[in-house]
Amino acid sequence: MLAREAGVRIGFGTDLMGALDDEQLHGLRLQAEVEGPLAVLRAATSVNAELLGRADLGRIRSGAVADLLVLDGDPLRDPSVLWGGPERRAVFQGGTRVAEYDARLVL
């Protein structure tokens, strides 16, 4: 909170990979608990794009370059859709759905 109060732009990101990949969602939950869901959504999208100097990222608009995450719910009312199970989200790249929940694969 000190950084935010000092006017520092706070993005979101981790270097977790492999077996720890799913732990990134835990980071979203923690940041949402501290700053609220709107701040964490901005941190992971438009703020990160600004920090990288990339106006073509972090927004949904014509000419933007990005993947799109579609959630089953309103993250401002229920932030758990951000870190909930895969049945609550789908990922699109270039307009094509590339990741989705398939109940037949759950053991």
Side-chain angles (χ1 to χ4, degrees):
M1 296 307 287
L2 293 175
R4 173 128 2 254
E5 290 171 4
V8 174
R9 303 285 294 165
I10 300 171
F12 177 82
T14 74
D15 58 357
L16 299 174
M17 299 174 73
L20 295 175
D21 200 36
D22 287 340
E23 294 301 317
Q24 293 185 61
L25 298 176
H26 182 67
L28 276 175
R29 183 182 61 80
L30 292 173
Q31 193 166 344
E33 288 176 4
V34 172
E35 297 197 294
L38 183 57
V40 78
L41 286 169
R42 287 181 175 153
T45 57
S46 59
V47 172
N48 277 355
E50 291 170 16
L51 293 173
L52 293 171
R54 296 281 308 267
D56 61 328
L57 296 176
R59 290 168 175 76
I60 301 170
R61 65 174 179 221
S62 180
V65 179
D67 302 336
L68 181 65
L69 173 67
V70 178
L71 301 168
D72 181 20
D74 180 350
L76 299 180
R77 292 188 178 174
D78 177 14
S80 71
V81 299
L82 294 170
W83 54 82
E87 72 278 4
R88 304 203 66 191
R89 60 184 175 267
V91 177
F92 292 80
Q93 286 180 322
T96 301
R97 192 174 191 163
V98 296
E100 63 184 283
Y101 175 74
D102 186 339
R104 297 171 297 175
L105 301 177
V106 177
L107 301 176

